[in-house]
Amino acid sequence: MAAALLATAAFAADTAPGPDSDKQFFPIASYRVGAYAASGVSIWAGMIDYYRYINEVEGGINGVPIVWQECETEWTAEKGIECYERAKNGLNGAPVAAYFPNGAPAAYALSDRAAADKIPLVTLAYGRTEATDGRVFPFNFPVVVTFYSEASALVNYIAEREGGFDKLKGKKIATVYHDSAYGRETLDPLALLAEKYGFENIQIPVPDPGSEQNSQWRQVREEKPDWIFLRTWGVSTPVAIKTAQRFGFPADHIVGDVWASSEDDVIPAGEAAKGYLALTPYPAGTDFEIHKRLKENILDKGKSDLRDPKLFGSVYYNSGLTNALLNVEIVRQAQAKFGNRPITGEEGQWALEHLKLDDVALAKAGFLGLTQNLALSPADHEGGGAVRVQQWDGAKWNLISDWVQADRQTLRPLIDAKSAAYAKENNITPRDVASQ
């Protein structure tokens, strides 16, 4: 009883009263305007459809209704900051348990601000890799898979295809990457893995926006790599796939990264994309249990936010579902400690640092196979580190692997060194998390 009273008092102290104080606020930092709007439309539909399902079918999160509100960021840092500032204090008394910036520019711009406000910042498959180290980044969570883990999972998948890690020695793996902070994220882990396994590590940058890549693929033809890791974004992905075909490189030996793994990346490439492979933490498809539930309770009843039914189960729609599941589970797992009521940012941070999703929990939620097992801790803010591999057949994505796990133990020293440098530069004393 005393613990419950203390929890209620803490909640009351952190939450301004209002007509929705009995609800949980999930802000949606969206981009329905701008260069990436076409991709975003499906993401927000997946999120909103799942929130509606939780409210209308499950009666909220343990009885706590979800309220949400979109704020247009245009995928920019400036508007992303504005949306965060508008959302951080809640909506009509409904508190925020975690904030999903839904864009790299905003994620980097908000890192210190969210920590000062004690609101966890959640970036799924993007963001600061070094924020995996919760000792230095207590309120920053690059959950599910980081770019470092993605690079390692790629190497592990290629080793599987080649017949073992010993077969990597002497092979050539070329990374054709968007020449930006995002694209350069895998330089260090691939250098480390090349040294460990003996493959030749070829790096080929593509200047933004990547609408002309003849020189890069001419270099590919000269280098004759065995595999290509394609780390592009936006228009540069279909351009790369089409140019690769012109220069004679087979699509079934090109593996796209998470941000080159959607229908938007392959459909514009036409026949050239047939056989193309991609890594994803949220594969395409509608054969998962959650899709059956959503179709019956949301889509078939005309309640979906999706305007084009053909996008149901697309990569970006399923990305939205995965983001929404995590938001809901943060609240649900916080409620197990703090009580079945709306959750604040500090309580959401505790939940994230103790978040567990195993096969039983995923099956109950309807996400088994669509989302990987997660186990976060105060020291580990990623918690997953796996991807599945899907292949484009010219009309749809087909899964061709189970979860491919990164070698996170090998990568961790790189992450610790990067976070230690950040701590030194910003005069941060790392937390002692041994007892947490």
Side-chain angles (χ1 to χ4, degrees), residues 162-430:
E162 293 289 348
F165 286 103
D166 59 313
K167 301 296 193 298
L168 292 179
K169 190 169 184 178
K171 295 289 183 185
K172 294 182 178 182
I173 301 176
T175 303
V176 176
Y177 67 93
H178 192 273
D179 196 8
S180 62
Y182 145 68
R184 292 187 288 271
E185 272 282 318
T186 53
L187 292 177
D188 289 345
L190 284 170
L192 175 69
L193 295 167
E195 183 178 353
K196 179 175 181 176
Y197 295 117
F199 63 84
E200 186 176 340
N201 175 31
I202 302 164
Q203 297 291 326
I204 304 174
V206 175
D208 186 65
S211 52
E212 202 289 316
Q213 299 181 33
N214 283 336
S215 63
Q216 284 80 14
W217 290 93
R218 189 172 294 112
Q219 183 179 347
V220 167
R221 186 167 63 186
E222 291 168 357
E223 297 276 6
K224 295 183 174 59
D226 298 283
W227 292 87
I228 296 283
F229 187 22
L230 190 62
R231 300 206 62 247
T232 42
W233 166 236
V235 69
S236 61
T237 303
V239 169
I241 295 169
K242 288 189 287 187
T243 311
Q245 184 189 54
R246 287 208 318 271
F247 280 84
F249 197 88
D252 63 0
H253 276 61
I254 303 175
V255 186
D257 93 325
V258 170
W259 300 105
S261 70
S262 75
E263 289 80 1
D264 291 357
D265 297 308
V266 288
I267 290 173
E271 282 296 308
K274 204 177 237 185
Y276 174 73
L277 306 166
L279 310 176
T280 181
Y282 29 71
T286 59
D287 294 332
F288 305 101
E289 174 62 28
I290 188 58
H291 293 86
K292 298 172 188 174
R293 299 180 191 177
L294 290 171
K295 187 174 186 308
E296 178 184 352
N297 295 286
I298 303 298
L299 275 82
D300 287 352
K301 293 184 178 179
K303 297 178 179 180
S304 177
D305 191 69
L306 200 57
R307 297 296 172 259
D308 183 353
K310 292 195 297 294
L311 295 174
F312 182 59
S314 66
V315 170
Y316 284 135
Y317 183 88
N318 289 355
S319 161
L321 291 181
T322 303
N323 273 276
L325 171 72
L326 289 173
N327 219 350
V328 167
E329 287 301 320
I330 290 164
V331 173
R332 194 189 306 279
Q333 297 194 26
Q335 287 175 338
K337 179 177 176 65
F338 301 106
N340 292 343
R341 55 160 176 77
I343 296 301
T344 66
E346 288 186 82
E347 294 164 347
Q349 188 260 1
W350 180 91
L352 274 157
E353 290 201 324
H354 298 83
L355 190 72
K356 300 287 185 291
L357 278 176
D358 59 12
D359 281 354
V360 173
L362 290 172
K364 184 177 180 180
F367 281 76
L368 189 64
L370 177 59
T371 301
Q372 65 192 269
N373 290 5
L374 294 176
L376 279 70
S377 72
D380 174 20
H381 282 193
E382 180 186 18
V387 293
R388 297 189 76 176
V389 183
Q390 56 187 15
Q391 186 169 36
W392 183 251
D393 68 6
K396 67 182 187 306
W397 289 107
N398 299 291
L399 281 169
I400 62 169
S401 83
D402 203 341
W403 293 104
V404 181
Q405 184 66 49
D407 181 0
R408 299 183 65 216
Q409 187 174 356
T410 294
L411 298 173
R412 187 65 196 224
L414 286 181
I415 292 169
D416 288 347
K418 201 171 182 181
S419 66
Y422 183 91
K424 183 177 181 181
E425 182 182 342
N426 292 276
N427 199 28
I428 296 170
T429 301

